[in-house]
Amino acid sequence: MTRQTLIKKLHGKMALQGMAVLLISMLPFYVNAQGLRTAGKQETATCQLSVVTSELKTPQTNKSKAVKSKAIAKTSVKRYAPTLNQLGYFEQVSNIQPLQNIPIEIAYPNGRPGDRVIVAVADGGTLDNKEKAKMLQLDIQKKLAFNFQAASDPGIYRIFLRKGKDTKVIRLWVGPEPLPVKN
């Protein structure tokens, strides 16, 4: 089965079973007639995601006065718009909490409403409804949105976006980022 036949089959049946087959079809490169590995036509895309963090602060107590105080929950939302490099990888977003749910919005400014995009997780975590892969369509604003929930293990989590022959990769780092190794 050729790569094109596989992609058509996935688009036609929307059967997103068999992650190994899906990931092979999602490679951002193809081999030309001379056998050289070259990047496919790159499509413009933007990514936006929001990371909500909650912190529980307990006020310091004064030992001379018996003062009862309650813990205060502080919630903050940090929005990211990672840039896309020439190989189709978005900048890595770090310090995601284990099991955190992250809303992600992707825009394809040169796309058409109704264009199909395959979204698949590669390193763990799940999409909406505990799915590992799903097919979405661009809306009237040429955007699509989905939620990603990280797993409990720290490390890199990649989300592949496949639109036609074009592949983009969102990279999220769960947990504190490791310190660089000194040589």
Side-chain angles (χ1 to χ4, degrees):
M1 179 180 298
T2 67
R3 184 170 176 245
Q4 287 294 4
T5 306
L6 178 62
I7 292 169
K8 286 179 184 177
K9 186 175 180 181
L10 286 173
H11 278 279
K13 292 184 179 180
M14 292 178 60
L16 299 177
Q17 306 281 324
M19 286 300 292
V21 173
L22 180 63
L23 290 177
I24 289 169
S25 71
M26 296 178 73
L27 294 174
F29 296 97
Y30 64 92
V31 178
N32 66 16
Q34 289 80 33
L36 302 174
R37 191 173 176 192
T38 59
K41 180 183 172 191
Q42 289 291 316
E43 185 152 350
T44 305
T46 61
C47 175
Q48 293 187 2
L49 53 104
S50 302
V51 178
V52 179
T53 56
S54 296
E55 185 178 341
L56 191 61
K57 288 191 173 187
T58 54
Q60 293 188 2
T61 58
N62 187 343
K63 291 183 180 182
S64 63
K65 297 179 183 177
V67 178
K68 289 186 177 181
S69 59
K70 295 182 179 180
I72 301 169
K74 181 182 175 187
T75 302
S76 63
V77 177
K78 189 164 185 180
R79 299 191 196 308
Y80 293 92
T83 58
L84 185 65
N85 69 17
Q86 68 275 13
L87 294 176
Y89 286 79
F90 287 101
E91 282 180 301
Q92 180 174 297
V93 177
S94 300
N95 296 318
I96 306 296
Q97 296 302 311
L99 302 175
Q100 186 166 10
N101 191 35
I102 303 163
I104 299 174
E105 183 179 278
I106 306 295
Y108 284 92
N110 299 329
R112 294 185 317 259
D115 282 354
R116 293 178 179 174
V117 179
I118 298 172
V119 180
V121 296
D123 304 306
T126 57
L127 300 171
D128 303 310
N129 300 322
K130 307 289 183 202
E131 297 170 312
K132 295 287 186 182
K134 66 189 304 182
M135 175 95 59
L136 298 172
Q137 290 185 343
L138 296 181
D139 64 14
I140 204 87
Q141 298 173 332
K142 303 175 188 174
K143 295 180 180 181
L144 59 92
F146 58 92
N147 291 309
F148 171 77
Q149 182 175 5
S152 60
D153 298 322
I156 191 78
Y157 288 78
R158 292 173 298 162
I159 304 166
F160 288 87
L161 307 166
R162 175 80 178 180
K163 180 179 175 290
K165 293 181 179 180
D166 183 65
T167 300
K168 304 287 185 246
V169 182
I170 300 169
R171 297 175 297 161
L172 305 173
W173 184 270
V174 173
E177 204 164 355
L179 298 173
V181 177
K182 294 181 181 179
N183 292 332

